[in-house]
Amino acid sequence: MQLVKKSYTAETDENLMREVIKGNNLAFSEIYDRWSKPMLNYFYKMLWQDREKAEDFMQEIFTKIIHKPQLYNPSRAFKTWIYSVANNMCKNEYRRAEVRKGTSNSLHDNIIVHDSSAPDKEHDKNIFNDRLKEELELLSENHKKTFILRFKHDLSIKDIAEILETSEGTVKSRIFYTVKKLGKNLKEFSPVAKTIMVGVCLIELIQYII
Amino acid sequence: MMEDRNRSKMDVEFYLLNRDYNELTIDELAIVKEYVESEQEFNEMKSVVVGVSNLSKEEKQLEPNPAIKAALLKEFDKQKPAGAYWLNGMFISLFPKEKKLYQKPGMQLIGLAASVLLIVTIAFNSNADINNSVLAQNEGVESEEETVETHSKLEIDEANEEKNLVENLEPVAQDLEKEITTLNEVAIEEKLESVENKVIAADFMYDAQPIESVESDLSIAANLDYRSNDNNLNESEESFKKGISKDKEKVATANDKLVISAITPATAEVIEEFSLEEDEVYFMDDAAVTVGAAVTGNNSIDLPMYSRTLAEDDTDLIGILYTAM
């Protein structure tokens, strides 16, 4: 029996889940502290940047862990398991959104309509961010998820393949396709384009002076 | 710059993040050209990847609402199967996981109980010294009793063996005794005859008379002192024989040797009748029944001395008898 309160900060996620299965609330608290923020941000990115919806989904995923912890297989990495659960939740939400879209015959409220003709945002980071979000929303679910998991959550190709239950080659292909498409749609933010744009501006300025 | 831990050199991302198109080597360019058609496309893709990476670093992460954690922990405590049973609930209340060991009520109760038990144990042990010593002695007595029982059994066995041995040897001893008696009777008769002869011889010596007249003298025997007594020689002889026959079975023991003698005080009286002088000697010894009569002086007559040597011929038989007894 321990003399002092045991610290779970050094334990792996897998060991913590073993304790959670036994009913250890301290282990559950540690798991929550580690993964609540990544899950919240993942849902936020995946579910149309809706914070309330993201928090609901984050709470739902931890409620699932409380009620059915035995669904987790300790031989599997917890990181990929929780992302795959989150991914399935997002899939279901996309389906529900499709049904709502079909009945209301309108676009999803959270989908940001791309306005690529706004020249005043091109040189601003925030503009780039907004443009990127817009472009991501236009991607297919699989490409979007792959891109977010890869660049926003810094997961490896292998982990992404496991989460999305697909091959690593497919993941690489999706990433390449997404980057190439985004590069074309966001080419105004490329260094060459910037140089050209600066050159064009300079020419226009000289012509205006002359 | 984005971390490269999840990227290998076989991925285009790696070159997009870490190289300009002009910096690519021939081998790297060969890899890149499998996916990228031109330098322009490479630069467009590079801008996206670098931009996203920078955004990810600079992007402010959302923080979850603390109320969500509280609600989830409450839900977790409700969900514990242990809470379904009142006994387990009591256990949880006695040993809450959140508290340190010495702060748990259950541990405090256990410590209190242990202290009381220790005090009671010490108090009872302090009054038990005398009883303990008694208990130790009782253990010794029990063993002694067992030893006594064992010894008594052995003694009984030995006594039984001796009894059986005596019973077995008793007939043998009776036979030996009969044989000894017979032998003694024979010996005594022989000795009596020799004594009689000696007495007759002495009479002849005393009277210096020829042997032929002795018998006649003995038959008369009136002029002699001893013949002056009321008893003549024949009477004395008869009484002597009677005394011997009366006492012939008496057995005397001395010095670990059985001596059988036919000479008893009654016999000695008879012998005394033959003594002519007052200085006759009559021996009766505790160690051995020795009867002897010595007649000193001119009229001395030597009576045979009966001693333990009388039975020395039968030493072996006597030894067997003694062992049997």
Side-chain angles (χ1 to χ4, degrees), chain B residues 6 30 60 87 91 132 165 183 190 219 226 232 285:
Chain B
N6 290 324
K60 191 178 180 182
L87 195 61
F91 183 81
N132 285 338
L165 190 62
L183 290 170
E190 287 176 354
S219 61
Y226 66 89
N232 56 19
D285 195 359

Side-chain angles (χ1 to χ4, degrees), chain B residues 258-274:
Chain B
L258 181 64
V259 177
I260 300 172
S261 176
I263 307 302
T264 63
T267 310
E269 288 175 359
V270 175
I271 293 169
E272 193 178 3
E273 291 177 0
F274 291 95

Side-chain angles (χ1 to χ4, degrees), chain A residues 1-3 23 25 29 32-33 37 41 44 51 66-67 125 132 150-151 154 176 180 183 192, chain B residues 6-7 13 35 41 43 47-48 52 56 58 61-63 69 72 75-77 79-80 98 101:
Chain A
M1 194 172 281
Q2 61 188 25
L3 288 172
N25 58 355
S29 178
Y32 179 85
D33 291 342
K37 197 173 174 181
N41 285 279
Y44 180 75
R51 182 181 173 108
I66 290 169
H67 289 285
K125 277 186 180 178
L132 180 66
R150 181 64 174 166
F151 293 102
D154 202 24
F176 176 76
K180 196 171 183 177
V192 176
Chain B
N6 290 324
R7 291 171 176 81
E13 291 174 48
Y35 304 97
E41 190 177 37
N43 288 329
S47 66
V48 172
V52 171
S56 299
E58 295 170 4
Q61 296 286 310
L62 297 174
E63 292 290 337
K69 183 179 180 180
L72 286 170
E75 184 72 18
F76 189 85
D77 290 336
Q79 191 60 27
K80 282 181 182 176
E98 294 80 12
L101 181 65

Side-chain angles (χ1 to χ4, degrees), chain A residues 41-54:
Chain A
N41 285 279
Y42 178 75
F43 285 121
Y44 180 75
K45 291 179 186 104
M46 294 298 294
L47 300 174
W48 313 286
Q49 291 87 45
D50 187 339
R51 182 181 173 108
E52 286 185 4
K53 191 179 285 291

Side-chain angles (χ1 to χ4, degrees), chain A residues 19-45:
Chain A
E19 292 296 317
V20 169
I21 291 167
K22 292 175 186 172
N24 189 337
N25 58 355
L26 292 176
F28 176 78
S29 178
E30 180 65 24
I31 282 281
Y32 179 85
D33 291 342
R34 288 184 190 181
W35 288 102
S36 59
K37 197 173 174 181
M39 285 294 107
L40 179 64
N41 285 279
Y42 178 75
F43 285 121
Y44 180 75
K45 291 179 186 104

